[in-house]
């Protein structure tokens, strides 16, 4: 069955700490990969996406993610977090064909302490 | 570009009542998706429209749920005979027919069934 796993449900970091959030997927065929962020009281916003090409993708606000095909992983990283990064982060995948519906992970709630 | 809008933002209803939600996608976006998100979970796919055609429905969408997109623009999601288990955030997203298949999300409608 198609699924996305996010291993860390809650993460607490101090400002300036480095961040890595794990995402693994199980999906037959070629996939597109996404990270979305949901700030408190706001809607889901796209952080970054991978469709093809360079497996290291850079997104907004200093975030980046690396697609490792052999590990079915798409981990999100940021070298130095800020208090304003406090949010919930969702990994999602969809197929290169068909309806392009998303399969989401359960999310990781990040709290950054000032 | 005003983004995806949803109405109402919050709905409280009594068990057994019918409710209807509306989604206005980004103009000229052909694809429209409904998702449901419960506490502690990522969004789960409910249904997909390409223009006015409903092309896929999840098994989560029981026969009490119906969705329409009559003119290929806005969409409605109706829940008949609501149950407490229907309490959730209902999200709408849209994307362009051609391109990188990134979905843009609305703010959601939070439903509470008493």
């Amino acid at each position: 069955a198609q699924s996305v796993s996010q291993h860390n449900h809650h993460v607490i970091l101090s400002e300036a700490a480095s961040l890595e959030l794990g995402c693994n997927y199980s999906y037959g065929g070629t996939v597109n990969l996404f990270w979305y962020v949901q700030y408190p009281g706001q809607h889901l916003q796209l952080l970054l996406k991978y469709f093809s090409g360079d497996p290291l993708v850079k997104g907004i606000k200093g975030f980046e993610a690396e697609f490792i095909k052999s590990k079915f992983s798409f981990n999100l990283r940021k070298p130095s977090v800020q208090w304003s990064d406090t949010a919930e982060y969702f990994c999602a995948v969809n197929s290169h064909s068909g309806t392009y519906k998303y399969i989401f992970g359960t999310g990781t709630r990040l709290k950054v302490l000032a | 570009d005003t983004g995806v809008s949803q109405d109402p933002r919050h709905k409280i209803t009594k068990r057994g009542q019918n409710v209807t939600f509306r989604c206005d996608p980004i103009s000229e976006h052909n694809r429209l998706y409904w998702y449901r998100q419960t506490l502690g979970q990522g969004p789960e796919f409910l249904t997909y429209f390409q223009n006015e055609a409903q092309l896929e429905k999840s098994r989560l969408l029981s026969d009490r749920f119906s969705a329409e997109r009559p003119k290929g623009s806005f969409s409605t999601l109706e829940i008949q005979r609501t149950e407490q288990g229907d309490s959730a955030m209902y999200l709408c997203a849209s994307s362009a027919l051609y391109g990188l298949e990134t979905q843009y999300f609305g703010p959601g409608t939070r439903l509470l069934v008493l």
Side-chain angles (χ1 to χ4, degrees):
Chain A
Q2 302 158 352
S3 65
V4 175
S5 298
Q6 291 184 242
H7 318 297
N8 317 100
H9 297 293
H10 292 91
V11 173
I12 300 175
L13 294 172
S14 298
E15 274 194 316
S18 63
L19 171 72
E20 181 159 4
L21 301 182
C23 172
N24 286 87
Y25 66 93
S26 172
Y27 205 105
T30 307
V31 297
N32 305 312
L33 297 145
F34 305 83
W35 276 97
Y36 280 82
V37 60
Q38 189 167 27
Y39 298 104
Q42 297 189 26
H43 61 278
L44 282 164
Q45 301 172 41
L46 182 69
L47 262 185
L48 48 77
K49 59 193 174 191
Y50 172 80
F51 284 32
S52 63
D54 188 345
L56 184 63
V57 292
K58 296 191 184 297
I60 61 171
K61 305 187 181 187
F63 286 91
E64 65 178 30
E66 184 175 13
F67 171 52
I68 304 179
K69 190 174 181 180
S70 61
K71 295 185 177 180
F72 299 92
S73 70
F74 190 56
N75 292 354
L76 181 70
R77 299 194 292 247
K78 186 171 184 179
S80 176
V81 295
Q82 302 173 311
W83 177 81
S84 57
D85 293 325
T86 294
E88 191 157 18
Y89 294 81
F90 292 94
C91 181
V93 302
N94 70 5
S95 171
H96 263 212
S97 62
T99 64
Y100 298 93
K101 66 186 179 190
Y102 283 170
I103 307 294
F104 280 91
T106 52
T108 297
R109 200 174 289 270
L110 171 67
K111 182 171 180 130
V112 180
L113 304 174
Chain B
D1 178 2
T2 57
V4 179
S5 61
Q6 293 186 245
D7 185 69
R9 296 288 304 276
H10 303 273
K11 179 71 178 179
I12 300 174
T13 190
K14 293 183 179 178
R15 191 175 51 190
Q17 298 294 305
N18 299 344
V19 294
T20 300
F21 310 141
R22 176 179 170 126
C23 170
D24 287 88
I26 293 171
S27 59
E28 299 177 358
H29 273 190
N30 306 86
R31 299 175 183 261
L32 187 145
Y33 304 80
W34 286 97
Y35 294 85
R36 181 170 69 187
Q37 185 177 16
T38 53
L39 203 60
Q41 300 296 319
E44 294 175 291
F45 170 76
L46 291 179
T47 191
Y48 160 70
F49 289 86
Q50 183 170 308
N51 300 311
E52 66 275 8
Q54 187 174 21
L55 297 185
E56 185 171 348
K57 291 193 289 186
S58 162
R59 278 174 283 185
L60 291 175
L61 215 64
S62 76
D63 56 7
R64 296 185 297 105
F65 288 70
S66 62
E68 294 183 338
R69 193 182 183 197
K71 295 184 180 178
S73 56
F74 72 92
S75 175
T76 58
L77 178 68
E78 181 183 16
I79 309 174
Q80 295 183 326
R81 306 181 304 281
T82 53
E83 300 173 356
Q84 288 183 325
D86 297 331
S87 296
M89 176 76 87
Y90 290 84
L91 298 170
C92 177
S94 70
S95 69
L97 184 59
Y98 299 110
L100 301 180
E101 308 307 338
T102 300
Q103 294 178 29
Y104 298 86
F105 285 82
T109 295
R110 187 172 293 282
L111 172 66
L112 178 60
V113 182
L114 301 176

